[in-house]
Amino acid sequence: EDKVVQSPLSLVVHEGDTVTLNCSYEVTNFRSLLWYKQEKKAPTFLFMLTSSGIEKKSGRLSSILDKKELFSILNITATQTGDSAVYLCAVGDAGTALIFGKGTTLSVSS
Amino acid sequence: DSGVTQTPKHLITATGQRVTLRCSPRSGDLSVYWYQQSLDQGLQFLIQYYNGEERAKGNILERFSAQQFPDLHSELNLSSLELGDSALYFCASSVTDGANYGYTFGSGTRLTVV
């Protein structure tokens, strides 16, 4: 059965800290891995990764994929209270629906 | 505003009742996906429609059904509701048949069954 596992499930840090969120997956026909940020309601898109070793960056956020070891990490540097959210990892396989992990809840205290 | 519209935003109903959730996809998107999000299960895929046809089914209960209309909006019907059906129901849309390139979520409908 295809699955996506995220760790840790929750994390509490202080403003300015750097955090690393993990996502491992087992899917039959991998096509892409996506990261979403969910605050109050709708998940919003952060990154899509399809190739190993190529880092995607957006401001203080970055992500990389390792297709050999079947995992991805999401890094957030110099965290701010606005980074507090649930971060979701999802994998697209040859089927049509994204498979989501349960998410990592990040709390950033000031 | 993501461009995906879901109504209603909140719904409170009694066990045994039937409700209909509505979703209008982003302009130009042909695929609509329905997901259920509960605290312990995360985002669970229910069903997908592409240009009016059912494309894929996930863990959708027999008490639940959906359809996509010619104008591409979609409705998710939940019947014989149970307390355990209380959750956040998301609709998402994408241009293509496949979700491999991600999709855009609506803001969800929070269903509370009492």
Side-chain angles (χ1 to χ4, degrees):
Chain A
E1 182 184 334
D2 294 344
K3 63 180 180 180
V4 178
V5 178
Q6 292 187 245
S7 64
L9 289 180
S10 64
L11 195 53
V12 180
V13 300
H14 294 291
E15 264 192 321
D17 288 350
T18 293
V19 299
T20 297
L21 310 183
N22 304 293
C23 175
S24 63
Y25 61 90
E26 292 179 27
V27 297
T28 309
N29 294 295
F30 176 88
R31 291 290 185 267
S32 59
L33 186 143
L34 298 95
W35 286 96
Y36 285 84
K37 178 182 181 182
Q38 185 176 21
E39 294 177 89
K40 293 198 184 339
K41 278 289 185 76
T44 54
F45 173 80
L46 293 175
F47 297 111
M48 185 181 74
L49 304 140
T50 56
S51 301
S52 276
I54 299 175
E55 186 182 51
K56 292 279 184 94
K57 284 199 75 164
S58 177
R60 296 175 294 103
L61 278 65
S62 64
S63 183
I64 197 161
L65 173 67
D66 185 328
K67 289 169 72 174
K68 183 179 176 185
E69 300 297 330
L70 308 182
F71 78 90
S72 173
I73 60 172
L74 175 67
N75 279 320
I76 308 175
T77 59
T79 51
Q80 302 171 357
T81 55
D83 295 326
S84 296
V86 176
Y87 290 85
L88 297 166
C89 173
V91 174
D93 68 1
T96 60
L98 290 175
I99 303 162
F100 282 84
K102 292 189 176 182
T104 294
T105 300
L106 174 64
S107 299
V108 181
S109 61
S110 57
Chain B
D1 182 6
S2 68
V4 179
T5 304
Q6 287 189 249
T7 57
K9 293 193 187 315
H10 302 276
L11 201 48
I12 301 174
T13 190
T15 53
Q17 294 299 304
R18 172 189 167 94
V19 297
T20 297
L21 312 184
R22 183 188 168 103
C23 169
S24 293
R26 198 177 53 168
S27 178
D29 286 357
L30 299 177
S31 273
V32 170
Y33 308 80
W34 287 97
Y35 280 79
Q36 179 192 59
Q37 187 176 41
S38 56
L39 281 174
D40 56 341
Q41 291 296 319
L43 272 165
Q44 297 289 308
F45 170 63
L46 296 177
I47 197 164
Q48 181 216 355
Y49 280 83
Y50 175 78
N51 204 20
E53 292 188 5
E54 183 183 302
R55 262 298 194 252
K57 263 187 173 180
N59 299 322
I60 188 166
L61 300 170
E62 284 191 14
R63 301 183 284 109
F64 296 0
S65 65
Q67 54 184 325
Q68 186 179 30
F69 295 87
D71 67 351
L72 301 178
H73 91 271
S74 177
E75 292 180 357
L76 178 67
N77 300 298
L78 315 175
S79 61
S80 302
L81 284 166
E82 302 174 359
L83 296 178
D85 297 325
S86 296
L88 199 50
Y89 290 83
F90 283 108
C91 166
S93 70
S94 67
V95 171
T96 63
D97 186 7
N100 299 326
Y101 297 98
Y103 34 64
T104 304
F105 283 88
S107 56
T109 293
R110 180 167 295 283
L111 173 67
T112 303
V113 182
V114 297

